[in-house]
């Protein structure tokens, strides 16, 4: 993979294209247009772009007002401000009213880097997943983000989508389908399955390469939709391999790992290891350094796979 | 309700009837918000019977004006008004707050005529100005109304919304404050004073009007003034009395979130029966 593109860029490009195709799309913002990659939309459609200044709660309410008038609204901020600062507005105005509002939080995860712990959103999956009517999506690359943007604009009702700051590898193919709630297999394998979402799936694929050299065949599943989680894909992968590792740039509590365990504990109990941030805030540093310090690297994932495989019950 | 007639006596009788229905439904429910429902009912009476363009038999009529009830706990006032307009059967009022009823404790969209569910304070005005901007963009000519409580004026979100609507110059937006001066734990003035309110609103680029919120003609005139005002959103400061019309509820914070018992209901109804229109 040579060319790296940020997930947020994939979103911004698709949003500007969608603006051309669908005159019903409104974009609202809270003073982070460049960081959220919505400048192209703003330039092209100034009459359908509104900023509320640094007032996320007001922006979310306004987005719901637009939806009352029949518009499809994309609301933008950093993941951390969107989901935390405006949580009650998201719960009440967006979810309780089942408003047709798409929340896009950029700068999700620890790979935000030098801005430090205050800016690194590590709880958005958990708190968005807890809300009725909400769908939660975390694309793994710019290509998938573009497809996801189109898909969520077509889906009726609330959606939260996390994007990320750093340029990252393209892990999917142009021809890969994107269906909300339908996981994609990035790599086949038989001894264990790594289920992940977001750009950290790059680390998962690299871990699978490492494991192969030591004779462990790891499947990698891209669970781009955390809610509704693809239960069938989780069960099938667990049944096939008997050992599961979840990988995410998120707190270990309440995120993808939890979503996967909620399925497996009821339907297919197998050993699960979770690679995630262990109930702590992040700090300043380069993304690579942070992934290493918080044990989210390919080597950590490979180690977790070995643990899961070791815990698996012998057949028969 | 698109033609604007105003027969003061008719409006007065209707307010009285609505007050009785509010008391009856709260008594039946056994819980709910009496004081703030009685204080805003005159405003809703004039809003729905005089001011707004809407069609009770066709709630989704595209040309309708829209109302956001930011103080969602005063749901009894809105529900009796909507039932009075014919959005749903008045018999449903007996099922307020009961399992399976459309009449949720706080204002809910499942009730015909309700545009938006509320109940967490301080959020309605943002929704209203979003809708007002959307309506302006569509050039639909519709107007958006929002009723706020004075307690929720202490929420930061309200002031964000005031700043936004003023900056956008949304002259199709009208906010009304049910300024009954009492919140759950006592006088607003003692808990966190809003004054000088009119000056604050004008500084936030609103056209502010101060009225007696129980003077039906005054409410009508304020709405007329709103429609005649260009370039700015209008904020009607309606000075009201919490629990208006029932002497033992008037001005009492303990009646914020309480329903009348059978005895209290009887007393309230007899007082309302004797209230001058």
């Amino acid at each position: 993979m040579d060319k790296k593109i940020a997930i947020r860029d994939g979103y911004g490009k698709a949003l500007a294209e969608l603006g051309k195709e669908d005159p019903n799309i409104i974009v609202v913002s809270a003073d982070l247009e460049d960081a959220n990659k919505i400048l192209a939309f703003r330039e092209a459609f100034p009459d359908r772009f509104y900023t509320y200044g640094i007032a996320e709660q007001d922006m979310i309410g306004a987005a719901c007002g637009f939806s009352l008038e029949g518009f499809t609204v994309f609301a933008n901020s950093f993941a951390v401000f969107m989901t935390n600062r405006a949580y009650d507005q998201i719960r009440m105005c967006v979810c309780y009213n089942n408003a047709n509002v798409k929340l896009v939080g950029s700068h999700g995860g620890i790979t935000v880097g030098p801005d430090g712990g205050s800016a690194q959103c590590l709880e958005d999956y958990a708190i968005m997943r807890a809300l009725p009517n909400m769908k939660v999506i975390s694309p793994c690359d710019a290509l998938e983000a573009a497809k996801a943007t189109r898909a969520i604009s077509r889906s009726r009702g609330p959606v939260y989508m996390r994007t990320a700051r750093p340029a990252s590898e393209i892990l999917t193919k142009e021809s890969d389908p994107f269906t909300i709630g339908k996981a994609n297999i990035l790599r086949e394998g038989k001894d264990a399955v790594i289920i992940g979402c977001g750009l950290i799936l790059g680390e998962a694929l690299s871990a699978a390469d490492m494991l192969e050299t030591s004779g462990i065949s790891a499947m990698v599943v891209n669970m781009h939709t955390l809610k509704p989680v693809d239960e069938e894909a989780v069960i099938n992968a667990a049944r096939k391999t008997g050992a599961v590792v979840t990988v995410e740039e998120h707190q270990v509590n309440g995120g993808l790992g939890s979503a996967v365990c909620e399925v497996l504990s009821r339907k297919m109990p197998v050993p699960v290891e979770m690679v995630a941030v262990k109930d702590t805030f992040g700090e300043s540093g380069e993304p690579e350094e942070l992934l290493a310090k918080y044990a989210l690297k390919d080597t950590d994932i490979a180690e977790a796979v070995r643990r899961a495989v070791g815990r698996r019950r012998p057949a028969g | 309700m698109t033609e604007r007639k105003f027969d003061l006596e008719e409006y007065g009788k209707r307010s009285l009837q609505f007050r009785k229905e509010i008391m009856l439904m709260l008594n039946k429910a056994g819980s709910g918000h009496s004081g703030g429902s009685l204080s805003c009912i005159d405003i809703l009476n004039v809003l729905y019977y005089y001011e707004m363009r809407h069609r009770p038999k066709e709630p989704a009529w595209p040309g309708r004006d829209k109302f956001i009830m930011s103080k969602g706990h005063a749901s009894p006032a809105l529900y009796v008004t909507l039932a009075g307009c014919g959005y749903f059967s008045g018999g449903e009022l007996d099922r307020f707050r009961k399992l399976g009823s459309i009449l949720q404790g706080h204002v809910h969209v499942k009730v015909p005529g309700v545009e938006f569910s509320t109940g967490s304070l301080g959020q309605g005005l943002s929704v209203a100005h979003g809708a007002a901007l959307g309506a302006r963009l569509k050039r639909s000519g519709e107007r958006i109304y929002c009723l706020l409580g004075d307690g929720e004026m202490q929420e930061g979100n309200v002031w964000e919304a005031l700043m936004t609507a003023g900056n956008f110059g949304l002259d199709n937006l009208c906010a009304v404050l049910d300024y009954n001066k009492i919140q759950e734990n006592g006088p607003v003035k003692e808990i966190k004073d809003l004054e000088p309110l009119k000056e604050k609103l004008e500084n936030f680029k609103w056209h502010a009007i101060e009225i007696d919120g129980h003077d039906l003609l005054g409410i009508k005139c304020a709405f007329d003034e709103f429609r005649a005002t260009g370039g700015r959103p209008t904020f009607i400061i309606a000075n009201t009395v919490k629990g208006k019309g029932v002497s033992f509820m008037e001005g009492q914070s303990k009646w914020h979130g309480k329903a009348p018992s059978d005895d209290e209901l009887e007393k309230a109804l007899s007082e309302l029966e004797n209230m001058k229109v």
Side-chain angles (χ1 to χ4, degrees), chain B residues 65-111:
Chain B
D65 295 328
K66 294 193 178 78
F67 172 63
I68 309 294
M69 180 92 163
S70 193
K71 49 173 294 185
H73 56 282
S75 53
L78 182 57
Y79 294 164
V80 299
T81 306
L82 292 173
C85 289
Y87 278 98
F88 56 90
S89 154
E92 188 65 24
L93 296 173
D94 287 346
R95 308 239 312 122
F96 176 50
R97 287 179 166 252
K98 304 289 187 208
L99 186 64
S101 169
I102 55 168
L103 300 185
Q104 296 296 296
H106 288 72
V107 168
H108 198 285
V109 281
K110 69 170 87 170
V111 181

Short mmCIF file of all heavy atoms in Angstrom, two decimals, chain B residues 65-111:
data_model
loop_
_atom_site.label_atom_id
_atom_site.label_comp_id
_atom_site.label_asym_id
_atom_site.label_seq_id
_atom_site.Cartn_x
_atom_site.Cartn_y
_atom_site.Cartn_z
N ASP B 65 -47.44 26.24 10.08
CA ASP B 65 -46.43 26.79 10.98
C ASP B 65 -46.10 25.70 12.00
O ASP B 65 -46.87 24.77 12.19
CB ASP B 65 -46.97 28.03 11.69
CG ASP B 65 -47.25 29.17 10.72
OD1 ASP B 65 -46.53 29.29 9.70
OD2 ASP B 65 -48.21 29.95 10.98
N LYS B 66 -44.94 25.86 12.65
CA LYS B 66 -44.54 24.81 13.59
C LYS B 66 -44.28 25.38 14.98
O LYS B 66 -43.83 26.50 15.13
CB LYS B 66 -43.27 24.11 13.09
CG LYS B 66 -43.49 23.33 11.80
CD LYS B 66 -42.32 22.40 11.49
CE LYS B 66 -42.60 21.60 10.23
NZ LYS B 66 -42.38 22.37 9.01
N PHE B 67 -44.60 24.54 15.96
CA PHE B 67 -44.42 24.94 17.36
C PHE B 67 -43.54 23.92 18.08
O PHE B 67 -43.78 22.72 18.00
CB PHE B 67 -45.79 25.03 18.05
CG PHE B 67 -45.69 25.24 19.54
CD1 PHE B 67 -45.09 26.40 20.05
CD2 PHE B 67 -46.16 24.29 20.43
CE1 PHE B 67 -44.98 26.59 21.43
CE2 PHE B 67 -46.06 24.48 21.81
CZ PHE B 67 -45.46 25.64 22.31
N ILE B 68 -42.54 24.42 18.79
CA ILE B 68 -41.67 23.58 19.61
C ILE B 68 -41.91 23.97 21.08
O ILE B 68 -41.71 25.12 21.46
CB ILE B 68 -40.18 23.80 19.27
CG1 ILE B 68 -39.91 23.68 17.76
CG2 ILE B 68 -39.30 22.82 20.07
CD1 ILE B 68 -40.11 22.33 17.17
N MET B 69 -42.31 22.98 21.86
CA MET B 69 -42.59 23.23 23.28
C MET B 69 -41.33 22.89 24.07
O MET B 69 -41.12 21.75 24.47
CB MET B 69 -43.75 22.32 23.70
CG MET B 69 -44.16 22.47 25.15
SD MET B 69 -45.46 23.67 25.31
CE MET B 69 -46.08 23.27 26.94
N SER B 70 -40.49 23.91 24.27
CA SER B 70 -39.21 23.63 24.93
C SER B 70 -39.41 23.20 26.38
O SER B 70 -38.69 22.35 26.90
CB SER B 70 -38.28 24.84 24.85
OG SER B 70 -36.97 24.49 25.22
N LYS B 71 -40.42 23.81 27.05
CA LYS B 71 -40.69 23.38 28.43
C LYS B 71 -41.64 22.17 28.38
O LYS B 71 -42.85 22.28 28.64
CB LYS B 71 -41.24 24.53 29.30
CG LYS B 71 -42.39 25.34 28.73
CD LYS B 71 -42.95 26.34 29.75
CE LYS B 71 -43.60 25.70 30.94
NZ LYS B 71 -44.26 26.62 31.87
N GLY B 72 -41.04 21.02 28.06
CA GLY B 72 -41.82 19.82 27.75
C GLY B 72 -42.62 19.26 28.91
O GLY B 72 -43.53 18.46 28.72
N HIS B 73 -42.29 19.71 30.14
CA HIS B 73 -43.02 19.20 31.30
C HIS B 73 -44.42 19.80 31.41
O HIS B 73 -45.29 19.25 32.08
CB HIS B 73 -42.25 19.49 32.60
CG HIS B 73 -41.94 20.94 32.80
ND1 HIS B 73 -40.90 21.56 32.14
CD2 HIS B 73 -42.51 21.89 33.57
CE1 HIS B 73 -40.86 22.83 32.52
NE2 HIS B 73 -41.82 23.06 33.37
N ALA B 74 -44.66 20.92 30.72
CA ALA B 74 -46.00 21.53 30.74
C ALA B 74 -46.89 20.88 29.69
O ALA B 74 -47.77 21.52 29.10
CB ALA B 74 -45.91 23.04 30.55
N SER B 75 -46.67 19.61 29.46
CA SER B 75 -47.42 18.87 28.44
C SER B 75 -48.94 18.96 28.60
O SER B 75 -49.64 19.02 27.58
CB SER B 75 -46.97 17.41 28.44
OG SER B 75 -47.06 16.86 29.75
N PRO B 76 -49.48 18.99 29.83
CA PRO B 76 -50.95 19.07 29.92
C PRO B 76 -51.52 20.27 29.16
O PRO B 76 -52.56 20.16 28.50
CB PRO B 76 -51.20 19.20 31.42
CG PRO B 76 -50.05 18.51 32.06
CD PRO B 76 -48.87 18.83 31.17
N ALA B 77 -50.83 21.41 29.23
CA ALA B 77 -51.33 22.61 28.54
C ALA B 77 -51.37 22.38 27.03
O ALA B 77 -52.34 22.74 26.35
CB ALA B 77 -50.45 23.81 28.88
N LEU B 78 -50.32 21.77 26.51
CA LEU B 78 -50.30 21.52 25.06
C LEU B 78 -51.33 20.46 24.67
O LEU B 78 -52.03 20.61 23.67
CB LEU B 78 -48.90 21.10 24.61
CG LEU B 78 -48.74 20.86 23.10
CD1 LEU B 78 -49.11 22.10 22.28
CD2 LEU B 78 -47.32 20.42 22.76
N TYR B 79 -51.43 19.42 25.47
CA TYR B 79 -52.35 18.33 25.12
C TYR B 79 -53.81 18.80 25.13
O TYR B 79 -54.58 18.44 24.24
CB TYR B 79 -52.17 17.14 26.07
CG TYR B 79 -50.82 16.44 25.97
CD1 TYR B 79 -50.40 15.58 26.98
CD2 TYR B 79 -49.98 16.61 24.87
CE1 TYR B 79 -49.17 14.92 26.91
CE2 TYR B 79 -48.75 15.96 24.79
CZ TYR B 79 -48.34 15.12 25.83
OH TYR B 79 -47.13 14.47 25.75
N VAL B 80 -54.21 19.59 26.12
CA VAL B 80 -55.62 20.04 26.12
C VAL B 80 -55.87 20.98 24.93
O VAL B 80 -56.95 20.97 24.34
CB VAL B 80 -56.06 20.73 27.44
CG1 VAL B 80 -55.93 19.78 28.62
CG2 VAL B 80 -55.33 22.03 27.70
N THR B 81 -54.85 21.76 24.57
CA THR B 81 -55.00 22.66 23.43
C THR B 81 -55.16 21.87 22.13
O THR B 81 -56.03 22.15 21.31
CB THR B 81 -53.78 23.61 23.33
OG1 THR B 81 -53.61 24.28 24.59
CG2 THR B 81 -53.98 24.65 22.24
N LEU B 82 -54.30 20.86 21.96
CA LEU B 82 -54.37 20.05 20.74
C LEU B 82 -55.69 19.28 20.66
O LEU B 82 -56.29 19.18 19.59
CB LEU B 82 -53.17 19.10 20.66
CG LEU B 82 -51.80 19.76 20.46
CD1 LEU B 82 -50.68 18.71 20.58
CD2 LEU B 82 -51.72 20.47 19.11
N ALA B 83 -56.11 18.75 21.82
CA ALA B 83 -57.40 18.04 21.83
C ALA B 83 -58.53 19.02 21.50
O ALA B 83 -59.44 18.70 20.73
CB ALA B 83 -57.63 17.38 23.19
N GLY B 84 -58.43 20.21 22.07
CA GLY B 84 -59.44 21.24 21.79
C GLY B 84 -59.51 21.59 20.32
O GLY B 84 -60.60 21.79 19.76
N CYS B 85 -58.37 21.64 19.67
CA CYS B 85 -58.33 21.94 18.23
C CYS B 85 -58.88 20.79 17.40
O CYS B 85 -59.25 20.97 16.24
CB CYS B 85 -56.89 22.19 17.76
SG CYS B 85 -56.18 23.73 18.34
N GLY B 86 -58.91 19.59 17.99
CA GLY B 86 -59.42 18.43 17.27
C GLY B 86 -58.34 17.51 16.71
O GLY B 86 -58.60 16.68 15.84
N TYR B 87 -57.12 17.63 17.19
CA TYR B 87 -56.06 16.73 16.72
C TYR B 87 -56.29 15.30 17.17
O TYR B 87 -55.89 14.35 16.52
CB TYR B 87 -54.69 17.21 17.22
CG TYR B 87 -54.09 18.31 16.38
CD1 TYR B 87 -54.20 19.65 16.75
CD2 TYR B 87 -53.42 18.02 15.20
CE1 TYR B 87 -53.66 20.66 15.98
CE2 TYR B 87 -52.87 19.02 14.41
CZ TYR B 87 -52.99 20.35 14.81
OH TYR B 87 -52.45 21.34 14.04
N PHE B 88 -56.89 15.15 18.34
CA PHE B 88 -57.23 13.81 18.83
C PHE B 88 -58.42 13.96 19.79
O PHE B 88 -58.78 15.07 20.18
CB PHE B 88 -56.03 13.13 19.52
CG PHE B 88 -55.43 13.91 20.65
CD1 PHE B 88 -55.89 13.73 21.95
CD2 PHE B 88 -54.41 14.83 20.42
CE1 PHE B 88 -55.33 14.45 23.00
CE2 PHE B 88 -53.85 15.56 21.46
CZ PHE B 88 -54.32 15.36 22.76
N SER B 89 -58.98 12.83 20.18
CA SER B 89 -60.18 12.86 21.02
C SER B 89 -59.86 13.30 22.44
O SER B 89 -58.87 12.86 23.04
CB SER B 89 -60.79 11.45 21.03
OG SER B 89 -61.52 11.28 22.23
N GLY B 90 -60.71 14.14 22.98
CA GLY B 90 -60.53 14.63 24.34
C GLY B 90 -60.56 13.51 25.36
O GLY B 90 -60.00 13.63 26.45
N GLY B 91 -61.15 12.39 25.02
CA GLY B 91 -61.20 11.24 25.92
C GLY B 91 -59.82 10.72 26.27
O GLY B 91 -59.60 10.16 27.34
N GLU B 92 -58.89 10.92 25.36
CA GLU B 92 -57.51 10.45 25.57
C GLU B 92 -56.85 11.16 26.75
O GLU B 92 -55.93 10.62 27.37
CB GLU B 92 -56.70 10.66 24.28
CG GLU B 92 -55.30 10.05 24.28
CD GLU B 92 -55.27 8.51 24.35
OE1 GLU B 92 -56.27 7.88 23.97
OE2 GLU B 92 -54.25 7.97 24.82
N LEU B 93 -57.36 12.37 27.07
CA LEU B 93 -56.75 13.14 28.17
C LEU B 93 -56.80 12.36 29.49
O LEU B 93 -55.93 12.52 30.35
CB LEU B 93 -57.45 14.50 28.34
CG LEU B 93 -57.32 15.45 27.14
CD1 LEU B 93 -58.19 16.70 27.37
CD2 LEU B 93 -55.87 15.86 26.89
N ASP B 94 -57.79 11.49 29.62
CA ASP B 94 -57.90 10.67 30.83
C ASP B 94 -56.78 9.65 30.94
O ASP B 94 -56.60 9.04 31.99
CB ASP B 94 -59.24 9.90 30.83
CG ASP B 94 -60.41 10.82 31.09
OD1 ASP B 94 -60.18 11.97 31.54
OD2 ASP B 94 -61.56 10.42 30.83
N ARG B 95 -56.07 9.43 29.85
CA ARG B 95 -55.04 8.39 29.84
C ARG B 95 -53.63 8.99 29.95
O ARG B 95 -52.63 8.28 29.81
CB ARG B 95 -55.16 7.55 28.56
CG ARG B 95 -56.58 7.02 28.33
CD ARG B 95 -56.65 5.52 28.26
NE ARG B 95 -55.66 4.96 27.38
CZ ARG B 95 -54.73 4.07 27.76
NH1 ARG B 95 -54.68 3.67 29.01
NH2 ARG B 95 -53.87 3.60 26.89
N PHE B 96 -53.58 10.30 30.22
CA PHE B 96 -52.30 11.00 30.37
C PHE B 96 -51.40 10.26 31.35
O PHE B 96 -51.83 9.90 32.46
CB PHE B 96 -52.59 12.42 30.87
CG PHE B 96 -51.38 13.26 31.17
CD1 PHE B 96 -50.34 13.39 30.25
CD2 PHE B 96 -51.29 13.96 32.37
CE1 PHE B 96 -49.24 14.19 30.53
CE2 PHE B 96 -50.20 14.77 32.65
CZ PHE B 96 -49.17 14.88 31.73
N ARG B 97 -50.15 10.00 30.95
CA ARG B 97 -49.14 9.36 31.79
C ARG B 97 -49.40 7.88 32.06
O ARG B 97 -48.73 7.29 32.91
CB ARG B 97 -48.98 10.10 33.13
CG ARG B 97 -48.26 11.45 32.98
CD ARG B 97 -48.13 12.17 34.30
NE ARG B 97 -47.17 13.28 34.17
CZ ARG B 97 -45.95 13.29 34.70
NH1 ARG B 97 -45.53 12.28 35.42
NH2 ARG B 97 -45.14 14.32 34.52
N LYS B 98 -50.40 7.29 31.39
CA LYS B 98 -50.69 5.87 31.63
C LYS B 98 -49.98 5.01 30.59
O LYS B 98 -49.78 5.44 29.44
CB LYS B 98 -52.21 5.60 31.54
CG LYS B 98 -53.05 6.45 32.48
CD LYS B 98 -52.89 6.06 33.93
CE LYS B 98 -53.88 6.80 34.82
NZ LYS B 98 -53.39 6.97 36.19
N LEU B 99 -49.67 3.79 30.99
CA LEU B 99 -48.99 2.87 30.08
C LEU B 99 -49.81 2.66 28.81
O LEU B 99 -51.00 2.38 28.87
CB LEU B 99 -48.76 1.52 30.78
CG LEU B 99 -47.93 0.50 29.98
CD1 LEU B 99 -46.51 0.99 29.77
CD2 LEU B 99 -47.94 -0.85 30.68
N GLY B 100 -49.16 2.83 27.67
CA GLY B 100 -49.83 2.60 26.39
C GLY B 100 -50.51 3.83 25.82
O GLY B 100 -50.96 3.82 24.67
N SER B 101 -50.56 4.90 26.58
CA SER B 101 -51.21 6.12 26.07
C SER B 101 -50.26 6.88 25.15
O SER B 101 -49.04 6.81 25.32
CB SER B 101 -51.60 7.02 27.24
OG SER B 101 -52.01 8.30 26.75
N ILE B 102 -50.84 7.60 24.18
CA ILE B 102 -49.98 8.49 23.38
C ILE B 102 -49.52 9.68 24.22
O ILE B 102 -48.51 10.29 23.93
CB ILE B 102 -50.70 9.01 22.10
CG1 ILE B 102 -52.02 9.70 22.44
CG2 ILE B 102 -50.89 7.89 21.10
CD1 ILE B 102 -52.63 10.48 21.29
N LEU B 103 -50.25 9.99 25.28
CA LEU B 103 -49.96 11.20 26.05
C LEU B 103 -48.87 10.96 27.09
O LEU B 103 -49.14 10.72 28.27
CB LEU B 103 -51.24 11.74 26.70
CG LEU B 103 -52.36 12.12 25.72
CD1 LEU B 103 -53.52 12.74 26.47
CD2 LEU B 103 -51.86 13.06 24.65
N GLN B 104 -47.64 10.99 26.61
CA GLN B 104 -46.47 10.79 27.47
C GLN B 104 -46.35 11.93 28.49
O GLN B 104 -46.83 13.04 28.25
CB GLN B 104 -45.21 10.73 26.60
CG GLN B 104 -45.19 9.55 25.65
CD GLN B 104 -45.15 8.23 26.38
OE1 GLN B 104 -44.20 7.92 27.09
NE2 GLN B 104 -46.20 7.43 26.23
N GLY B 105 -45.68 11.64 29.59
CA GLY B 105 -45.52 12.64 30.65
C GLY B 105 -44.92 13.94 30.15
O GLY B 105 -45.32 15.03 30.58
N HIS B 106 -43.94 13.84 29.28
CA HIS B 106 -43.39 15.04 28.65
C HIS B 106 -43.76 15.00 27.16
O HIS B 106 -43.99 13.93 26.60
CB HIS B 106 -41.88 15.09 28.83
CG HIS B 106 -41.47 15.41 30.25
ND1 HIS B 106 -41.60 14.51 31.28
CD2 HIS B 106 -40.94 16.54 30.80
CE1 HIS B 106 -41.18 15.06 32.41
NE2 HIS B 106 -40.78 16.29 32.16
N VAL B 107 -43.82 16.18 26.57
CA VAL B 107 -44.31 16.33 25.20
C VAL B 107 -43.63 15.34 24.23
O VAL B 107 -42.41 15.23 24.20
CB VAL B 107 -44.08 17.79 24.72
CG1 VAL B 107 -44.31 17.91 23.22
CG2 VAL B 107 -44.98 18.74 25.49
N HIS B 108 -44.46 14.64 23.47
CA HIS B 108 -43.94 13.57 22.61
C HIS B 108 -44.56 13.62 21.21
O HIS B 108 -45.76 13.86 21.08
CB HIS B 108 -44.21 12.20 23.25
CG HIS B 108 -43.36 11.10 22.68
ND1 HIS B 108 -43.60 10.55 21.45
CD2 HIS B 108 -42.26 10.48 23.17
CE1 HIS B 108 -42.69 9.62 21.20
NE2 HIS B 108 -41.86 9.56 22.24
N VAL B 109 -43.75 13.34 20.20
CA VAL B 109 -44.23 13.39 18.80
C VAL B 109 -45.29 12.36 18.46
O VAL B 109 -45.93 12.48 17.42
CB VAL B 109 -43.09 13.20 17.76
CG1 VAL B 109 -42.31 14.47 17.57
CG2 VAL B 109 -42.20 12.05 18.10
N LYS B 110 -45.47 11.36 19.31
CA LYS B 110 -46.51 10.40 18.95
C LYS B 110 -47.91 11.01 19.11
O LYS B 110 -48.89 10.45 18.63
CB LYS B 110 -46.36 9.08 19.71
CG LYS B 110 -46.63 9.13 21.18
CD LYS B 110 -46.69 7.71 21.76
CE LYS B 110 -45.32 7.19 22.17
NZ LYS B 110 -45.38 5.94 22.94
N VAL B 111 -47.99 12.17 19.72
CA VAL B 111 -49.27 12.87 19.86
C VAL B 111 -49.53 13.66 18.57
O VAL B 111 -48.70 14.47 18.16
CB VAL B 111 -49.23 13.85 21.05
CG1 VAL B 111 -50.57 14.56 21.20
CG2 VAL B 111 -48.85 13.12 22.33
#
